[in-house]
């Protein structure tokens, strides 16, 4: 099961999941039809505030996310990045999932003074409290990828800082270096099926794993 399939990381995870011969079916939760078709793909159009019971599922991938600018307020941002992801995880566990993967962010911490990092940290902590066989959390730094090709609104921070970050990347601590969206997606898809317990993957590890 995948939530957030229209986003940068989610769309790349969907592509990888559909291409995996070991996966029989991919159930996508979305606010609107995807417009894509595949023999394995099942798209369920939902209201993330009122999720229906899900079909049986083994693994859940959480990639719902927005920005405060797009959402319009901190409360609206929190409703997507924290509440919607948590509701999906809860519904997935109720449907049988015991393995969950999350796209979080570097610096995620529930007591952070930075609102964005605090929300990400609260979600991580809520998922850690669930009864799971495996929880894999990716904590990427600045994401590199072509959102325009996915018909997504550009994110100012990524557009503005990406060129600068590429130049100074060798001078930054490894966990803060930019990482390609493909690397994040591939790392989660390859790690979750065999993971045990809590696995947190930093940005530099995501880049290394995604290059393999």
């Amino acid at each position: 099961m995948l939530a957030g399939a229209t986003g940068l990381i989610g769309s790349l995870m969907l592509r990888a999941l559909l291409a995996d011969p070991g996966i029989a079916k991919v159930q996508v939760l979305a606010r609107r039809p995807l417009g894509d078709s595949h023999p394995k793909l099942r798209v369920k159009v939902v209201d993330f505030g009122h999720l229906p019971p899900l079909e049986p599922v083994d693994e859940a991938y959480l990639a719902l996310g927005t920005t405060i600018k797009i959402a319009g307020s901190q409360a609206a941002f929190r409703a997507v990045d924290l509440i919607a992801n948590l509701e999906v995880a809860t519904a997935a566990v109720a449907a049988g999932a015991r393995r969950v993967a999350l796209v979080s962010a570097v610096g995620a911490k529930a007591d952070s003074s930075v609102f964005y990092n605090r929300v990400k940290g609260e979600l991580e902590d809520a998922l850690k409290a669930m009864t799971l066989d495996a929880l894999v959390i990716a904590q990427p730094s600045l994401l590199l990828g072509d959102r325009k090709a996915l018909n997504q609104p550009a994110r100012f921070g990524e557009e503005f800082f990406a060129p600068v970050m590429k130049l100074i990347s060798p001078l930054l601590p490894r966990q803060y270096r930019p990482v390609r969206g493909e690397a994040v997606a591939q790392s989660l898809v390859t790690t979750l099926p065999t993971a045990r317990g809590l696995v947190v993957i930093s940005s530099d590890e995501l880049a290394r794993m995604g290059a393999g």
Side-chain angles (χ1 to χ4, degrees), residues 12-27:
L12 294 166
M13 281 200 292
L14 177 59
R15 185 185 307 168
L17 292 168
L18 292 174
D20 188 335
I23 294 177
K25 181 171 63 175
V26 180
Q27 179 184 178

Side-chain angles (χ1 to χ4, degrees), residues 31 48-49 51 64 78-89:
R31 294 186 181 88
F48 285 103
L51 285 176
L64 291 171
R78 185 183 179 86
V80 174
D81 278 58
L82 172 60
I83 298 173
N85 275 308
L86 187 55
E87 289 294 326
V88 171

Side-chain angles (χ1 to χ4, degrees), residues 32-57:
R32 59 185 183 278
L34 295 187
D36 296 330
S37 62
H38 189 281
K40 295 182 182 180
L41 181 60
R42 305 289 186 274
V43 179
K44 195 177 190 71
V45 177
V46 299
D47 175 356
F48 285 103
H50 301 87
L51 285 176
L54 305 183
E55 297 176 30
V57 60

Side-chain angles (χ1 to χ4, degrees), residues 5 10-11 18 39 43 81-82 88 91 93 107 120 125 140 152 160 174 188 190 193:
S11 63
L18 292 174
V43 179
D81 278 58
L82 172 60
V88 171
V93 169
K120 296 292 187 182
D125 287 351
Q152 297 177 10
F160 182 80
R174 291 183 180 276
L188 287 175
T190 57

